[in-house]
Amino acid sequence: MKLAIIGGAGIRVPLVTNGLFREETGIAVDELSLFDTDTERAATIARICEAMARRAGGKLRVSLPRSLDDALEGCSFVVSSIRVGGINGRVRDERIALQHGVPGQETVGPGGFALALRTIPVLVDYGRRVAERAPQAWMINFTNPVGIMAEAFIREGISARCIGVCDTPREQFLHVAEALEVPLETAYFDYLGLNHLGWIRAVMVHGRDVLHDLLASDEALDRAYPLRLFSKSFLRTLRLLPTEYLFYYYSTREALRRTVASGDTRGGLIRDLEAKLMQSVAEAGHDERRTLAAYDLYLAGRNASYMAIETGGSFEAARVDEARANLYQSAAGYERIALDVIGAVHNNQARVMPVDVANQGAIQDLESATAVEVPCAIDANGARPLAAGRLPDQIRGLFFQVKEFERITVDAALRGSRSLAIDALASNPLVERRELAEKLVLAYQAAHAPWLNHLS
């Protein structure tokens, strides 16, 4: 089987290679085709992938196609994970938000909005080309913001063989399972929402909903949220378990204060880690042991620093050492989700996982042709959303506000409308003021002129 990755120079691509050689993965990939506009960096990532395969005791052909058509020829699956504007674009997105008194984050608020505006036209074009050149292929989309990208694909009529994937829900499921001291596979999580705006409504273990038991236990709640994002009293009042990105909506001022106090952003920290990795790989030359050691150190640093800036946590050597010891062990994570979806489709072995697809009646409060993130039955026919009923009253307002923001953002990007872009950002819960939205849109246009000149 041939697997193509659009955005093949992405720093997490070698994780996919590692995942291919896990015994439980259940798929055999003969060729990994890495397509990227940054060909030099893609060649470096290919070297890491080849070394990763050899360390796992296997063989894998890693190709560097000259064109997207070459990458798509004969492929069965396409993973899309692009970042229009690169890591420097992310840093600018986050810093512009902070300069205007709004939390800076890659997918939430103004940062996610700016990324979406410049990504939608590019990714929609890729989606069309996949549908035309490789109609047999399934597209697994990791490109952020995943939910807005799914909305754009649905709007453009190219979503039938595309599944949006994010590791956030399963990461939260894993923490909850550990808190309850049950194996992840023995629990069922009644989950619903949008990408990076999701809630666990019930946790079924042996036919019984144990969410109330978890909420009643201080110790269990501490394990369910190791980053201490939400107060216990708040969670008990909410009567739901939000995923981590709800922190930006429920604790907006605190997220802003801590990020400003840190003097950096998540994007800035990742940029520094990436620069060190690329330098170390260059210095390693053909020494695969040193190359992989550098990549492992990068991953450990990335994992150990996750949400440390936003939550006021520390980024210490001890945390990096702990993260390094646990590399590639999690049941969640980028490559696990992607390969589980691919395996379910390729082998026609039904699995239930939360992914981003058209609603199709799953959430009764929404029309069918809009993107949601809900548990889906996934097999050779793709992802079919399971019934989710109505939205809980305590989340309806925020849910509909973010959904409206996503819709208008897609409209703005596809129509090239600055006025709609301002409307979209003014509707975002972290902005809400049209005057501020206008200032932010103009700042992002100036910062990303090559990609946002289409807005007029």
Side-chain angles (χ1 to χ4, degrees):
M1 181 173 77
K2 179 180 178 181
L3 170 63
I5 299 184
I6 301 176
I11 208 72
R12 293 191 294 179
V13 169
L15 284 168
V16 175
T17 305
N18 182 75
L20 290 173
F21 294 96
R22 285 198 180 97
E23 185 176 340
E24 66 271 21
T25 297
I27 56 175
V29 172
D30 305 303
E31 179 183 352
L32 183 66
S33 185
L34 307 184
F35 172 77
D36 203 286
T37 56
D38 187 341
T39 55
E40 182 177 348
R41 177 163 157 150
T44 299
I45 296 300
R47 284 174 48 209
I48 299 174
C49 289
E50 289 168 342
M52 189 79 75
R54 279 189 280 271
R55 182 170 70 177
K59 294 181 180 180
L60 179 67
R61 179 189 173 202
V62 181
S63 63
L64 294 167
R66 292 176 295 178
S67 68
L68 180 59
D69 287 352
D70 288 344
L72 297 178
E73 184 178 356
C75 73
S76 300
F77 291 88
V78 179
V79 171
S80 55
S81 184
I82 65 173
R83 184 186 298 282
V84 178
I87 189 64
N88 288 326
R90 173 178 180 173
V91 174
R92 284 193 289 270
D93 290 344
E94 293 171 342
R95 288 182 177 170
I96 288 171
L98 292 174
Q99 289 164 6
H100 288 80
V102 186
Q105 207 281 325
E106 177 190 20
T107 62
V108 173
F113 163 81
L115 178 60
L117 276 186
R118 60 183 186 271
T119 303
I120 287 170
V122 177
L123 193 67
V124 164
D125 181 61
Y126 282 145
R128 290 196 186 102
R129 292 173 67 182
V130 171
E132 293 169 0
R133 300 289 182 175
Q136 78 286 348
W138 288 88
M139 191 169 180
I140 312 299
N141 182 54
F142 260 105
T143 298
N144 277 319
V146 169
I148 298 180
M149 297 305 121
E151 186 77 20
F153 273 43
I154 293 166
R155 191 80 56 85
E156 292 298 286
I158 52 175
S159 64
R161 294 178 71 85
C162 180
I163 301 171
V165 179
C166 177
D167 54 1
T168 295
R170 193 190 287 188
E171 289 280 2
Q172 190 60 59
F173 297 173
L174 180 60
H175 290 316
V176 171
E178 290 172 345
L180 294 169
E181 298 182 339
V182 300
L184 178 64
E185 60 273 13
T186 66
Y188 177 78
F189 298 87
D190 179 5
Y191 170 89
L192 82 170
L194 307 172
N195 182 238
H196 288 183
L197 193 90
W199 296 264
I200 297 172
R201 188 168 47 182
V203 183
M204 304 302 297
V205 178
H206 301 309
R208 187 172 74 89
D209 183 5
V210 297
L211 179 58
H212 178 78
D213 297 344
L214 189 151
L215 288 170
S217 168
D218 287 353
E219 183 180 357
L221 281 177
D222 283 341
R223 291 198 299 269
Y225 288 100
L227 290 172
R228 305 295 188 269
L229 298 170
F230 312 105
S231 72
K232 297 178 180 67
S233 60
F234 170 75
L235 292 171
R236 287 165 180 153
T237 300
L238 186 65
R239 305 188 308 281
L240 303 167
L241 298 179
T243 54
E244 59 203 11
Y245 286 93
L246 268 298
F247 173 74
Y248 293 98
Y249 299 102
Y250 291 145
S251 302
T252 305
R253 291 183 179 179
E254 190 65 9
L256 175 62
R257 183 188 68 79
R258 290 174 178 176
T259 305
V260 170
S262 76
D264 204 351
T265 69
R266 175 66 174 168
L269 192 154
I270 294 297
R271 182 173 63 181
D272 292 344
L273 290 173
E274 285 190 8
K276 291 177 182 177
L277 168 63
M278 301 309 279
Q279 180 180 348
S280 296
V281 171
E283 292 172 351
H286 296 290
D287 188 334
E288 291 190 349
R289 182 186 59 81
R290 289 178 60 194
T291 295
L292 292 174
Y295 188 74
D296 289 349
L297 181 60
Y298 164 79
L299 283 182
R302 184 180 183 122
N303 294 347
S305 63
Y306 184 64
M307 289 195 85
I309 287 174
E310 299 89 335
T311 59
S314 59
F315 181 30
E316 302 168 348
R319 293 186 64 185
V320 176
D321 289 342
E322 180 183 356
R324 184 186 284 181
N326 293 314
L327 285 178
Y328 314 113
Q329 301 303 311
S330 175
Y334 170 86
E335 82 287 4
R336 290 270 182 146
I337 310 302
L339 294 175
D340 281 353
V341 171
I342 290 172
V345 175
H346 182 68
N347 297 319
N348 196 25
Q349 294 178 341
R351 296 193 61 167
V352 174
M353 288 181 279
V355 292
D356 291 76
V357 295
N359 181 41
Q360 301 177 52
I363 297 178
Q364 293 177 4
D365 309 84
L366 290 177
E367 63 270 29
S368 289
T370 195
V372 295
E373 188 171 87
V374 294
C376 293
I378 305 174
D379 58 21
N381 292 306
R384 299 180 303 284
L386 303 180
R390 300 185 65 84
L391 293 165
D393 290 341
Q394 59 268 45
I395 68 171
R396 290 176 67 87
L398 178 58
F399 180 97
F400 283 123
Q401 192 173 2
V402 174
K403 183 74 259 184
E404 185 67 6
F405 156 72
E406 290 186 350
R407 287 169 170 156
I408 305 174
T409 298
V410 171
D411 284 341
L414 293 177
R415 293 166 61 178
S417 170
R418 183 188 297 117
S419 177
L420 280 175
I422 295 169
D423 289 345
L425 198 49
S427 72
N428 188 281
L430 301 186
V431 178
E432 292 191 320
R433 304 194 310 277
R434 187 170 180 82
E435 180 183 1
L436 176 57
E438 185 171 4
K439 291 179 180 178
L440 282 161
V441 169
L442 292 175
Y444 283 127
Q445 271 201 281
H448 302 294
W451 296 284
L452 296 184
N453 281 338
H454 67 291
L455 296 179
S456 59

